[in-house]
Amino acid sequence: MWLKPEEILLKNAFKLWVTEKDNEYFVLQRRRGYGEGGGGLTGLLVGTLDTVLDSTSKVAPYRILHHTPDSQVYWSIACGVTKEEIDQHWDWLQQNIMRTLSVFDSTEDITSFVQGKIRGLIAEEGKTSLVLEDDPEKFREALLRFEKWFELPAQEKLVTYYSCSYWRGKVPCQGWLYLSTNFLCFYSYLLGSEVKLIVSWDEIWRLEKTSNVILTESIHVLAHGEDHYFSMLLHLNETFVIMEQLANYSIKRLFDKEAFQGEPALSDPLQITKRGLEAHAKSDQFRAFFRLPKEENLLEVHESFLWVPFSHFNTLGKICLSENYLCFASQDGSQCHIVIPMREVINVEKPDSGSRALTVCVRGKRALRFSEVRDYQRLANTIRSRCGISASPQHSASSEAIRGECQSLINHFEDNPEDVTLMVGQKDTSKAVSTEALMTVFHPQDVENLDPKMLKEKMKEQSWNIHFSEYGRGTSMFFTKKTRDLIVRGVPESLRGELWMLFSGAVNDMATHPGYYTELVEQSLGTSTLATDEIERDLHRSLPEHPAFQSDTGISALRRVLTAYAYRNPKIGYCQAMNILTSVLLLYAKEEEAFWLLVAVCERMLPDYFNRRIIGALVDQAVFEDLIRENLPQLVEHMTDLSFFSSVSLSWFLTLFISVLPIESAVNVVDCFFYDGIKAILQLGLAVLDYNMEALIACNDDAEAVTILNRFFDSVTNKDSPLPPTVQQASVGNNDKASHVSVDISELIREAYEKYGHFRSEEVESSRKKNKLYVIQTLEDTTKQNVIRVVSQDVRFTASQLDELYNLFKRQHFLSCYWTMKSPALLHHDPSLAYLEQYQLGFQQFSELFSLLEPWAFCASKSTLSLWVFRLIDENQDGLVNFKEFCYALDTLYGASFTNKLKFLFKLHLPPAFDLPEDGVIRKSPERGRGKVDLQAYLKQWQNEILKKEETIKDLPRINQAQFIQFSKTLYNIFHGDPEEESLYRAVAHVTSLLLRMEEVGRRLQEPSSPPAEATQPASTAASTQEASFKETSDASSSHSSQEGAAERPDPDWSFSFEQVLASLLNEPTIVGFFERHVHIQTKLGQARVAQLKLKANK
């Protein structure tokens, strides 16, 4: 490897290096302790020194130096891991550089030329692979060490590396931590003791920062039931964040089968960089905080002051700029933040150079003044270009007018609330789509009604109008502590839909996709899928007590929204609880708005909640358990097993308390959720448990605790709700209400914010990431146990053997996805399939794993045999095999009787297994999980599986000449290399000869009138052909040509039945003994574990 030329002083290194070759300008040296006679104490000391100091030489024991005759200075220009590699560099220098150097007059010119040439070579090599790294030269050296030590496949992308200590028991090993796209690796070498660790990210159960008496601060990794601790990291937080990001990336790509379309930094696993991961993480935080669409990326960040009109002072914060939004958050994020869509910006004033300020004017007669912006001129130009605002002279008049208007706004900051409107995409919608919220249709407000509840509702509306006049209304409203206080007190019925849209960010989705929902409705109506069937079943279970959903108006709107979303996002489709949530959204928002609110909840605010495994809800329950341990120690002391709260609280998270609280109270919870996200649900859950603490501690069992919580929820009321009794939800436990004091929802929410509002959203996200690994691995383990239980009924392997086989099978599946986004397993993944089908192998992956596990170690022509086995067990012919099919094949080859093993081999030489396409390429997998689902086909397939009869040997078709010749060759391939190879060969020859004679006798009996010579001719020809084929090599390349030759021969009716083949082979004890010989699969499993990754690396 060529190195960036660095000056070294040779006299300080004479004890560590030995010169092997030299000439007038170059020296080739070998590190002491390497090569011939390099062992012993010298090798140990040099190896230890190299590892601790992290010099390039510790893995590159050869180097080339450049020098000039009249200089004492040497320059390192190349290093090599092997003698062959360094010799190639040496030869290149001799052929390309030495002849040129003679033309130079001065030594300075020679050195300058050599350095320039080497730098040119390095730049040429690093044009593609290293262009994104922070320090390409050091990264090249680290990559060299990484490749040599861990011997991973060449495609594996090293992301970054750190010096650290790895603890083995109570002893720290100083070494280097390497983080790549798919693996966490560590290497240490101290005084002859080598420590090497390779853990794939998909195997990690826990990843967290810890500290104890011995380790002040360290990173804890739990994988395969083993704990690993890494400490003494110079940048521990940075290291941990990168590890967390890589683990999360692996989880999404391998378990969730996410393709990261539209995210260039993560779309190609071969191009993952530390810089790309950091940028992606910052964009994620940016989108989550400001509730922006997932297409937005953080492009620029500027520190500045913003003039806050309602407080009359400048607040310090950061301007965050994306493709379509200008956002600002105060320094701690809690004082105020604002989101300004670029579509709302009408002008950017000429920046003020004195205060480095710029003023942004937005619709609604409002202006924002940012000051002390370091790069204010460039920021102003960027905003102008993104908004399409021209700064040309011809617009100067209008610009002056706008500037004057903005200046007056800056001076007075008085907004006219009557002129302020919510700027969303207004487009004529289809007549089929409801344009009114259901609550306005089924419960219109009576303006003349002056009862106390309505008066209080009017007061709330007035409070919000005052708030709008001070802080703005619509997309560019300031979000402050006062906004949250108003939310906690309750949102007026008339403003609820508007504020939900604003707080969730759905208003921006809707504005940027005009007409999208109407198109979806038109495309999705009339489709028939599993999702639409489930939707139809649940329509009348959605708030059935509410008048809106006792009529066709509400039911039809609910059907359209849910069906449109299932069509938009088939990965989620439809999940129970979505109907309840959507029903409440439709009450307060127009139909199109309800759709976009559902998009915001499912895709941004509650990620991974609404799928078949409800991973997001389970993760948040784990976060909830952690918060219970921190905040309710008394409850933890009494109930050590907190899993009870997980089971009870599942509906709280999935339906945002809508399913357990009366509707008039639940909507107040939804208000808080849209403003504060999942944090609002977590703190309310803590408040509920705190309120019932004494009763829960006193209860004797789980059933009693459930009853206590149910009674509590029934007693929750909303004393300020203006809804009539016909609309309010009837409590389930009305009879017991007298025994339980009623609780007002506003008081409960206020208490939740006061007592448990201290933890930040960032802490919740961090806890989510930590618990997600454990939740997913627990689900994976449960899935494995279910699969093993199903498969164990049909095979003879033990549970532990099936466990190891499953781990190998799953690992092989992941190996096919590690370095590409286009593997068959990823392209044709269908999350709706049963757990048995979640991990499947294409032919290439199957062939690699089968070669490691098949029982005949000396078997030649493995690729051909594995192709036939793959086709035989791929019953639905989709080009993928699942774990059950894979185990069936191995179980037959390892544990079946001689007859069943022979039957399996016999079937390998019959269609479809033996049916080679003309081009020799295996068929591709069909598209799965897309479009209309044929339920009748599913039912028919299920019925066929139930009625499937045990196959008998009489059901097998006869084997023709070409197939029989290949069958004989397969037997020869299997026997090749066996100690009894010669006797097995003779036995096969005897059997084939016997079968041919039997065929000849059969022909004579069938054709008595034929002359003897004519009758014997075909058989004798076939016999000679067969014996000639035994002499041929058993290489796979000859099998296809032999089939073609066989097809050209006469007598196509020549064939054998399985009974004939079986009877003939049973007369050969050597063959019977070979197939009945017991082979230990445990040994094979152990070897496969070690060789699986190396096999991929060698390929």
Side-chain angles (χ1 to χ4, degrees):
M1 182 177 76
W2 299 109
L3 300 176
K4 180 182 177 183
E6 288 188 6
E7 186 178 329
I8 62 172
L9 200 58
L10 199 60
K11 66 170 68 175
N12 294 336
F14 74 97
K15 292 182 179 178
L16 301 178
W17 293 91
V18 177
T19 298
E20 295 214 329
K21 295 180 183 179
D22 63 346
N23 58 36
E24 190 177 0
Y25 297 109
F26 300 102
V27 179
L28 189 154
Q29 294 182 327
R30 172 176 56 84
R31 188 77 162 171
R32 287 187 187 274
Y34 293 89
E36 297 180 4
L41 184 60
T42 305
L44 293 179
L45 291 174
V46 173
T48 301
L49 181 65
D50 289 342
T51 303
V52 173
L53 296 181
D54 184 39
S55 63
T56 308
S57 57
K58 70 175 181 297
V59 293
Y62 299 94
R63 71 179 183 181
I64 296 176
L65 307 177
H66 162 66
H67 73 107
T68 51
D70 55 350
S71 174
Q72 296 296 316
V73 177
Y74 286 73
W75 300 83
S76 63
I77 59 172
C79 67
V81 177
T82 63
K83 187 73 164 63
E84 292 76 16
E85 181 185 358
I86 205 69
D87 281 342
Q88 286 181 358
H89 287 343
W90 180 265
D91 294 341
W92 189 90
L93 290 170
Q94 298 301 308
Q95 294 170 13
N96 298 279
I97 300 293
M98 285 299 293
R99 297 175 185 175
T100 310
L101 296 183
S102 60
V103 304
F104 292 101
D105 296 328
S106 67
T107 57
E108 289 82 1
D109 291 343
I110 291 173
T111 301
S112 178
F113 174 78
V114 170
Q115 290 179 354
K117 190 66 179 176
I118 299 302
R119 288 194 179 97
L121 291 172
I122 292 172
E124 195 65 31
E125 284 181 357
K127 265 183 181 177
T128 54
S129 59
L130 303 171
V131 69
L132 297 176
E133 306 303 338
D134 293 331
D135 190 338
E137 183 58 35
K138 286 187 177 179
F139 197 85
R140 289 171 82 250
E141 297 174 8
L143 183 60
L144 182 69
R145 298 192 294 271
F146 175 72
E147 290 173 348
K148 179 180 186 299
W149 283 338
F150 303 109
E151 298 177 323
L152 294 171
Q155 311 101 298
E156 183 61 16
K157 175 70 172 65
L158 177 63
V159 176
T160 188
Y161 59 99
Y162 300 95
S163 173
C164 72
S165 291
Y166 170 62
W167 291 78
R168 300 184 72 187
K170 295 183 179 179
V171 180
C173 304
Q174 181 61 33
W176 290 85
L177 178 68
Y178 292 86
L179 307 178
S180 66
T181 306
N182 299 295
F183 299 96
L184 177 155
C185 306
F186 176 84
Y187 184 86
S188 173
Y189 182 85
L190 292 172
L191 298 176
S193 175
E194 184 181 55
V195 178
K196 188 185 295 186
L197 175 71
I198 301 176
V199 178
S200 59
W201 295 113
D202 55 84
E203 297 170 336
I204 293 178
W205 284 63
R206 288 279 188 198
L207 178 62
E208 56 193 352
K209 287 188 286 189
T210 60
S211 60
N212 54 40
V213 178
I214 301 175
L215 305 175
T216 53
E217 201 171 14
S218 63
I219 296 175
H220 170 222
V221 176
L222 172 63
H224 295 300
E226 296 182 15
D227 293 298
H228 307 282
Y229 292 91
F230 303 92
S231 66
M232 301 185 191
L233 285 145
L234 187 61
H235 305 288
L236 187 136
N237 288 330
E238 176 191 306
T239 309
F240 178 74
V241 168
I242 292 292
M243 292 171 73
E244 199 173 54
Q245 290 167 355
L246 285 169
N248 188 49
Y249 176 62
S250 180
I251 289 292
K252 286 185 176 179
R253 192 162 56 89
L254 301 177
F255 292 102
D256 299 341
K257 304 297 187 290
E258 191 170 321
F260 296 97
Q261 293 177 351
E263 298 185 54
L266 302 181
S267 59
D268 185 359
L270 303 182
Q271 300 297 329
I272 300 297
T273 63
K274 178 184 170 185
R275 189 185 302 173
L277 286 170
E278 289 172 343
H280 177 75
K282 287 178 182 176
S283 292
D284 269 349
Q285 293 172 354
F286 167 68
R287 287 190 294 264
F289 184 84
F290 293 108
R291 305 279 170 79
L292 298 178
K294 60 183 179 181
E295 297 83 13
E296 297 299 312
N297 294 292
L298 181 61
L299 302 178
E300 297 178 20
V301 178
H302 301 268
E303 194 170 90
S304 77
F305 286 91
L306 172 64
W307 173 256
V308 183
F310 48 85
S311 300
H312 301 288
F313 68 85
N314 284 309
T315 181
L316 178 63
K318 290 183 178 178
I319 300 172
C320 301
L321 196 67
S322 71
E323 290 88 345
N324 300 296
Y325 295 89
L326 172 68
C327 307
F328 177 87
S330 58
Q331 202 161 30
D332 60 355
S334 61
Q335 186 175 356
C336 76
H337 72 270
I338 186 170
V339 179
I340 308 169
M342 294 294 187
R343 64 181 183 274
E344 299 290 309
V345 176
I346 56 175
N347 188 46
V348 179
E349 278 201 9
K350 184 179 179 181
D352 178 6
S353 57
S355 59
R356 293 183 298 179
L358 68 151
T359 303
V360 178
C361 302
V362 297
R363 298 182 196 279
K365 298 183 180 180
R366 301 187 60 224
L368 301 165
R369 181 182 175 85
F370 300 97
S371 59
E372 298 301 326
V373 184
R374 180 175 297 177
D375 203 354
Y376 64 95
Q377 188 69 57
R378 189 173 66 83
L379 177 61
N381 292 334
T382 302
I383 297 173
R384 282 197 190 98
S385 64
R386 293 199 174 277
C387 299
I389 298 170
S390 174
S392 57
Q394 56 263 35
H395 295 288
S396 58
S398 60
S399 296
E400 281 298 327
I402 295 172
R403 189 176 298 115
E405 182 183 348
C406 292
Q407 190 59 49
S408 64
L409 289 168
I410 294 165
N411 294 335
H412 301 285
F413 283 100
E414 293 178 353
D415 294 323
N416 185 356
E418 289 79 12
D419 294 339
V420 180
T421 56
L422 180 64
M423 295 296 173
V424 297
Q426 302 288 339
K427 182 171 179 176
D428 291 338
T429 53
S430 169
K431 293 180 180 178
V433 176
S434 174
T435 56
E436 294 292 335
L438 293 179
M439 193 64 80
T440 61
V441 176
F442 289 89
H443 179 53
Q445 289 192 10
D446 186 358
V447 180
E448 298 179 359
N449 186 354
L450 298 178
D451 65 35
K453 289 186 176 181
M454 283 304 299
L455 284 174
K456 196 155 189 178
E457 187 77 1
K458 293 293 181 184
M459 289 173 63
K460 283 184 184 178
E461 290 181 15
Q462 187 61 30
S463 298
W464 276 96
N465 285 329
I466 294 171
H467 184 79
F468 292 148
S469 65
E470 291 182 4
Y471 298 90
R473 185 173 187 175
T475 50
S476 55
M477 183 178 87
F478 281 94
F479 295 79
T480 67
K481 289 179 180 178
K482 190 174 179 181
T483 312
R484 180 181 281 114
D485 292 339
L486 286 174
I487 291 288
V488 171
R489 277 187 266 167
V491 174
E493 298 278 319
S494 59
L495 295 175
R496 188 159 270 138
E498 175 187 332
L499 292 175
W500 285 359
M501 289 288 288
L502 180 63
F503 297 151
S504 66
V507 62
N508 292 315
D509 289 321
M510 182 170 160
T512 53
H513 296 84
Y516 175 79
Y517 174 68
T518 307
E519 292 174 9
L520 272 187
V521 170
E522 292 171 356
Q523 293 169 10
S524 61
L525 282 182
T527 58
S528 175
T529 64
L530 289 173
T532 56
D533 289 346
E534 291 176 359
I535 289 169
E536 288 298 326
R537 189 178 62 237
D538 287 346
L539 284 176
H540 296 278
R541 303 176 188 174
S542 311
L543 300 186
E545 70 287 338
H546 198 286
F549 298 100
Q550 295 168 0
S551 73
D552 185 61
T553 304
I555 293 295
S556 297
L558 182 60
R559 178 188 291 113
R560 287 192 294 269
V561 172
L562 291 175
T563 306
Y565 185 78
Y567 190 85
R568 164 191 165 89
N569 191 345
K571 188 175 179 181
I572 291 178
Y574 170 76
C575 180
Q576 283 190 340
M578 286 172 68
N579 60 319
I580 297 174
L581 176 61
T582 308
S583 300
V584 175
L585 299 179
L586 282 166
L587 289 178
Y588 294 97
K590 299 173 185 177
E591 187 176 321
E592 185 177 4
E593 293 174 342
F595 169 79
W596 287 113
L597 285 168
L598 184 64
V599 170
V601 171
C602 294
E603 298 176 14
R604 290 201 302 270
M605 302 186 73
L606 295 179
D608 298 326
Y609 260 61
F610 300 101
N611 53 40
R612 295 193 175 273
R613 299 202 293 178
I614 56 171
I615 290 172
L618 297 176
V619 169
D620 283 342
Q621 284 181 298
V623 174
F624 188 49
E625 286 185 22
D626 290 343
L627 291 172
I628 292 172
R629 291 188 185 93
E630 293 174 16
N631 296 280
L632 302 174
Q634 288 178 295
L635 198 59
V636 176
E637 288 175 12
H638 179 72
M639 304 182 72
T640 53
D641 182 13
L642 297 182
S643 60
F644 161 74
F645 294 113
S646 294
S647 58
V648 170
S649 65
L650 181 61
S651 62
W652 304 357
F653 291 94
L654 281 173
T655 66
L656 309 179
F657 284 92
I658 295 170
S659 63
V660 293
L661 286 174
I663 185 65
E664 66 275 8
S665 300
V667 289
N668 285 38
V669 179
V670 179
D671 296 339
C672 299
F673 166 75
F674 277 123
Y675 191 83
D676 275 318
I678 196 62
K679 177 177 175 286
I681 306 300
L682 291 167
Q683 61 195 29
L684 182 62
L686 291 174
V688 167
L689 297 181
D690 189 11
Y691 195 94
N692 294 278
M693 176 87 73
E694 293 181 6
L696 289 171
I697 290 175
C699 67
N700 299 314
D701 54 34
D702 291 352
E704 189 177 345
V706 171
T707 304
I708 289 168
L709 291 173
N710 286 340
R711 285 179 179 172
F712 170 76
F713 287 129
D714 290 336
S715 70
V716 175
T717 61
N718 187 348
K719 63 184 181 183
D720 297 333
S721 175
L723 299 180
T726 54
V727 175
Q728 293 189 17
Q729 184 175 328
S731 297
V732 179
N734 277 332
N735 297 333
D736 300 326
K737 215 166 188 178
S739 63
H740 210 296
V741 180
S742 63
V743 182
D744 184 63
I745 186 64
S746 297
E747 290 299 316
L748 186 63
I749 290 174
R750 184 181 55 76
E751 188 175 330
Y753 272 92
E754 288 178 357
K755 282 191 174 182
Y756 306 109
H758 57 273
F759 58 87
R760 300 166 61 207
S761 298
E762 291 81 0
E763 295 170 11
V764 174
E765 285 303 316
S766 177
S767 184
R768 271 178 163 179
K769 290 174 183 175
K770 181 186 77 172
N771 284 290
K772 186 175 182 179
L773 291 172
Y774 186 79
V775 167
I776 284 184
Q777 295 293 8
T778 303
L779 287 173
E780 288 292 311
D781 196 56
T782 303
T783 298
K784 177 171 73 173
Q785 299 307 322
N786 290 335
V787 171
I788 289 173
R789 187 177 67 252
V790 171
V791 174
S792 62
Q793 300 172 7
D794 300 320
V795 298
R796 284 167 282 267
F797 295 129
T798 65
S800 62
Q801 290 170 344
L802 283 173
D803 187 281
E804 291 192 55
L805 276 172
Y806 184 88
N807 291 336
L808 288 169
F809 188 87
K810 179 180 171 182
R811 182 79 178 278
Q812 191 69 26
H813 168 88
F814 283 164
L815 285 173
S816 72
C817 309
Y818 274 173
W819 301 285
T820 179
M821 289 292 191
K822 297 182 179 179
S823 69
L826 283 175
L827 293 175
H828 306 296
H829 174 71
D830 184 359
S832 67
L833 294 175
Y835 49 78
L836 195 60
E837 305 276 353
Q838 287 303 303
Y839 295 119
Q840 298 180 319
L841 300 182
F843 168 66
Q844 190 61 43
Q845 291 75 43
F846 169 84
S847 179
E848 291 171 6
L849 186 57
F850 185 75
S851 67
L852 294 173
L853 292 172
E854 55 91 14
W856 303 300
F858 302 103
C859 177
S861 187
K862 287 186 178 180
S863 60
T864 307
L865 183 64
S866 61
L867 174 62
W868 297 338
V869 173
F870 181 83
R871 286 179 170 167
L872 180 62
I873 63 178
D874 181 18
E875 293 183 359
N876 58 357
Q877 298 186 2
D878 65 347
L880 297 168
V881 298
N882 60 35
F883 181 66
K884 185 177 182 180
E885 294 166 337
F886 180 75
C887 286
Y888 161 74
L890 284 183
D891 181 64
T892 303
L893 297 178
Y894 273 95
S897 63
F898 170 72
T899 302
N900 285 332
K901 285 181 181 177
L902 190 65
K903 184 170 74 171
F904 187 84
L905 290 173
F906 188 84
K907 288 168 70 175
L908 291 182
H909 299 83
L910 296 171
F914 193 67
D915 186 19
L916 276 172
E918 290 182 6
D919 57 1
V921 179
I922 191 167
R923 61 196 170 283
K924 292 183 178 179
S925 311
E927 285 291 325
R928 305 174 64 181
R930 303 263 199 285
K932 186 175 179 179
V933 177
D934 191 348
L935 299 177
Q936 294 296 328
Y938 271 111
L939 292 172
K940 189 174 181 181
Q941 182 182 351
W942 182 48
Q943 184 181 23
N944 290 339
E945 288 178 1
I946 293 174
L947 300 175
K948 199 175 188 181
K949 295 186 202 175
E950 184 67 30
E951 186 181 54
T952 64
I953 59 176
K954 292 184 179 180
D955 297 328
L956 293 173
R958 296 173 70 86
I959 193 169
N960 63 32
Q961 182 179 357
Q963 294 163 350
F964 180 72
I965 291 174
Q966 188 57 57
F967 176 75
S968 302
K969 284 188 175 184
T970 300
L971 290 178
Y972 274 90
N973 289 331
I974 290 172
F975 300 150
H976 179 69
D978 191 84
E980 299 182 11
E981 181 179 358
E982 288 299 324
S983 58
L984 287 166
Y985 278 11
R986 284 196 296 270
V988 173
H990 181 262
V991 166
T992 52
S993 179
L994 178 63
L995 285 168
L996 290 170
R997 290 192 180 93
M998 289 170 60
E999 176 67 16
E1000 183 179 350
V1001 172
R1003 284 178 172 276
R1004 287 180 179 178
L1005 292 173
Q1006 288 176 1
E1007 302 173 7
S1009 60
S1010 303
E1014 292 177 7
T1016 57
Q1017 181 65 28
S1020 58
T1021 302
S1024 61
T1025 303
Q1026 184 69 26
E1027 290 184 8
S1029 72
F1030 298 153
K1031 304 263 195 288
E1032 292 177 7
T1033 176
S1034 58
D1035 186 56
S1037 61
S1038 66
S1039 66
H1040 190 60
S1041 60
S1042 68
Q1043 292 170 45
E1044 292 174 353
E1048 293 172 4
R1049 292 172 189 139
D1051 212 355
D1053 296 328
W1054 185 90
S1055 62
F1056 296 116
S1057 68
F1058 176 71
E1059 294 98 317
Q1060 290 175 306
V1061 176
L1062 175 62
S1064 303
L1065 289 173
L1066 281 172
N1067 290 323
E1068 298 296 334
T1070 314
I1071 295 177
V1072 175
F1074 174 86
F1075 282 108
E1076 291 188 342
R1077 185 190 308 159
H1078 183 66
V1079 181
H1080 294 283
I1081 191 173
Q1082 202 64 44
T1083 307
K1084 284 278 189 179
L1085 291 171
Q1087 294 169 349
R1089 273 198 308 273
V1090 176
Q1092 193 174 25
L1093 191 57
K1094 287 186 177 179
L1095 180 67
K1096 198 76 178 177
N1098 293 335
K1099 283 182 178 296

